[in-house]
């Protein structure tokens, strides 16, 4: 069994992926309190790990035009003399980099053609979606003698909201004349394209319904590249479009103020769940994209899936049958109102 002293956890992909790997740090620290834990991530996800007391250091991967640079990152990793690394999202470049960094214990999947570069292999296929992504991540810790049963019953994400971001966000909301007494519902229309989404027209229909409610502010969020998409959701004076106007720290602050967060399968949905905000999500039945694998990891959730009865669902079949269009927006609206009443 490995007894780590200096671990590198590698998660150089997107927002939701990073969120679902954060609890690994606390679990390792509780088993090995003296172990130093470092995360290697992309710069745009940095705000997710800020202020986390279980993470000793964050390394930002050097990139050029969105591509991870091999030599620069290799030198950065070698300088830290890690004895163990856990590759949560494997790529050939990352696996080769860690091999050449001569890290003694390299933990990763046993099911890739380049898995020979890992000397501590975990044999689990994620594509079948038979458990949650977070649970797959925790299972990688088995090589450290940590079993899934040792994970805390209530998983904590320890996302921190800094005062400076909160003040800046409040200023932005004041500029938009958003009443501080209103409950905030965030609608996040965009996604990274990794799943099949609810049709835009259905989400706009829901936005119109919600905009008619009293003492509620509807805020649309999205990246700068999603601005045109989000503009289509400006269906009422009660809708505020903040797409392209929030960095990740400000988005965290906004989500933390919200009563409900509504979206397809996307990273900010996992931020909302991690912050304890009630989430409403739309998921297909495709195993690799399903709520079972990628749903928000929280009890405060309402998940809607296609009403079409299908088996062995694939992305091609889902898009051909337009399965997501079978979700009843009237039921989503009723569920949202019920949550608001409880809150």
């Amino acid at each position: 069994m490995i007894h780590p002293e200096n671990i590198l956890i590698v998660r150089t992909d997107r927002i939701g992926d990073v969120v679902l790997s954060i609890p690994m740090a606390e679990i390792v620290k509780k088993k090995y309190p003296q172990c130093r834990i470092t995360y290697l991530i992309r710069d745009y996800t940095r705000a997710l790990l800020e202020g986390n007391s279980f993470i000793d250091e964050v390394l930002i991967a050097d990139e050029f035009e969105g591509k991870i640079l091999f030599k620069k990152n290799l030198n950065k990793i070698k300088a830290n003399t890690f004895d163990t690394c856990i590759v949560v999202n494997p790529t050939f470049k990352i696996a080769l980099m860690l091999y050449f960094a001569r890290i003694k214990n390299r933990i990763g999947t046993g099911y890739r053609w380049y898995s020979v570069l890992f000397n501590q292999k975990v044999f689990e296929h994620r594509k079948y979606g038979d458990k949650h992504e977070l649970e797959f991540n925790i299972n990688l810790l088995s090589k450290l003698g940590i079993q899934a049963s040792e994970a805390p019953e209530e998983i904590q994400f320890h996302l921190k909201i800094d005062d400076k971001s909160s003040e800046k966000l409040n200023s932005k909301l004041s500029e938009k004349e958003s009443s501080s007494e209103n409950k905030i519902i965030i609608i996040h229309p965009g996604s990274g394209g990794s799943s099949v989404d609810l049709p835009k027209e259905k989400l706009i229909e829901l936005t119109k319904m919600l905009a008619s409610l009293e003492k509620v502010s509807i805020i649309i969020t999205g990246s700068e590249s999603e601005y045109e998409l989000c503009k289509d959701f400006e269906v009422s004076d009660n809708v505020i479009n903040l797409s392209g106007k929030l960095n990740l720290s400000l988005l965290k602050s906004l989500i933390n103020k919200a009563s409900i967060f509504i979206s397809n399968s996307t990273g900010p949905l996992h931020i909302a769940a991690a912050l304890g905000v009630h989430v409403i999500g739309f998921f297909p039945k495709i195993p690799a994209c399903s709520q079972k694998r990628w749903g928000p990891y929280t009890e405060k959730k309402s998940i809607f899936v296609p009403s079409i009865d299908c088996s062995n669902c694939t992305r091609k079949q889902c898009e051909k049958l337009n399965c997501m269009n079978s979700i009843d927006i009237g039921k989503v609206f009723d569920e949202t109102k019920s949550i608001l009443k409880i809150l």
Side-chain angles (χ1 to χ4, degrees), residues 238-268:
N238 196 27
V239 176
I240 299 169
N241 183 3
L242 291 182
S243 62
K245 294 178 178 150
L246 304 175
N247 60 27
L248 191 52
S249 292
L250 290 175
L251 180 61
K252 274 197 310 179
S253 295
L254 175 63
I255 292 173
N256 194 51
K257 289 174 72 71
S259 296
I260 300 174
F261 184 96
I262 302 173
S263 77
N264 292 293
S265 177
T266 186

Side-chain angles (χ1 to χ4, degrees), residues 57-276:
E57 188 177 359
V58 175
L59 294 181
I60 302 301
D62 287 301
E63 298 180 72
F64 180 71
E65 295 182 347
K67 301 265 179 83
I68 300 286
L69 298 175
F70 189 89
K71 191 172 181 181
K72 270 195 169 184
N73 288 300
L74 173 60
N75 291 336
K76 185 181 289 188
I77 292 167
K78 287 174 77 172
N80 282 271
T81 60
F82 297 109
D83 59 68
T84 302
C85 63
I86 303 173
V87 186
V88 189
N89 66 305
T91 66
F92 172 60
K93 185 183 284 187
I94 290 290
L96 190 63
M97 194 186 301
L98 297 170
Y99 176 81
F100 280 119
R102 297 184 178 179
I103 296 174
K104 182 180 178 183
N105 305 300
R106 301 180 303 280
I107 302 170
T109 178
Y111 285 125
R112 298 291 173 92
W113 63 267
Y114 50 81
S115 291
V116 66
L117 299 171
F118 303 129
N119 58 4
Q120 300 289 336
K121 301 177 183 66
V122 175
F123 291 90
E124 280 196 308
H125 279 302
R126 299 193 181 204
K127 63 183 179 180
Y128 301 125
D130 57 354
K131 59 170 68 79
H132 198 276
E133 182 71 5
L134 174 59
E135 293 162 1
F136 280 122
N137 295 342
I138 291 172
N139 284 355
L140 289 169
L141 303 179
S142 62
K143 294 297 179 180
L144 306 181
I146 300 172
Q147 302 307 315
S149 58
E150 294 180 61
E153 282 187 23
E154 189 175 342
I155 294 289
Q156 298 292 326
F157 293 87
H158 304 289
L159 293 187
K160 305 299 180 184
I161 309 298
D162 66 276
D163 293 338
K164 190 175 178 181
S165 292
S166 292
E167 288 171 13
K168 193 171 179 181
L169 174 69
N170 288 336
S171 177
K172 280 184 178 291
L173 293 177
S174 295
E175 288 172 13
K176 297 290 184 179
E177 299 181 354
S178 173
S179 172
S180 59
E181 295 180 5
N182 285 0
K183 287 187 171 69
I184 293 175
I185 297 177
I186 297 173
I187 297 177
H188 190 89
S191 71
S194 59
S195 186
V196 181
D197 295 343
L198 183 77
K200 181 181 77 171
E201 294 73 22
K202 286 235 167 183
L203 202 49
I204 291 173
E205 182 185 345
L206 177 63
T207 306
K208 289 176 182 176
M209 292 176 175
L210 294 173
S212 68
L213 298 176
E214 293 182 354
K215 295 184 179 180
V216 168
S217 292
I218 312 299
I219 299 182
I220 309 299
T221 58
S223 64
E224 195 172 340
S225 64
E226 293 168 335
Y227 178 77
E228 289 303 319
L229 166 67
C230 294
K231 196 168 175 56
D232 291 339
F233 287 77
E234 296 176 10
V235 294
S236 162
D237 291 338
N238 196 27
V239 176
I240 299 169
N241 183 3
L242 291 182
S243 62
K245 294 178 178 150
L246 304 175
N247 60 27
L248 191 52
S249 292
L250 290 175
L251 180 61
K252 274 197 310 179
S253 295
L254 175 63
I255 292 173
N256 194 51
K257 289 174 72 71
S259 296
I260 300 174
F261 184 96
I262 302 173
S263 77
N264 292 293
S265 177
T266 186
L269 182 74
H270 295 292
I271 293 177
L275 289 170

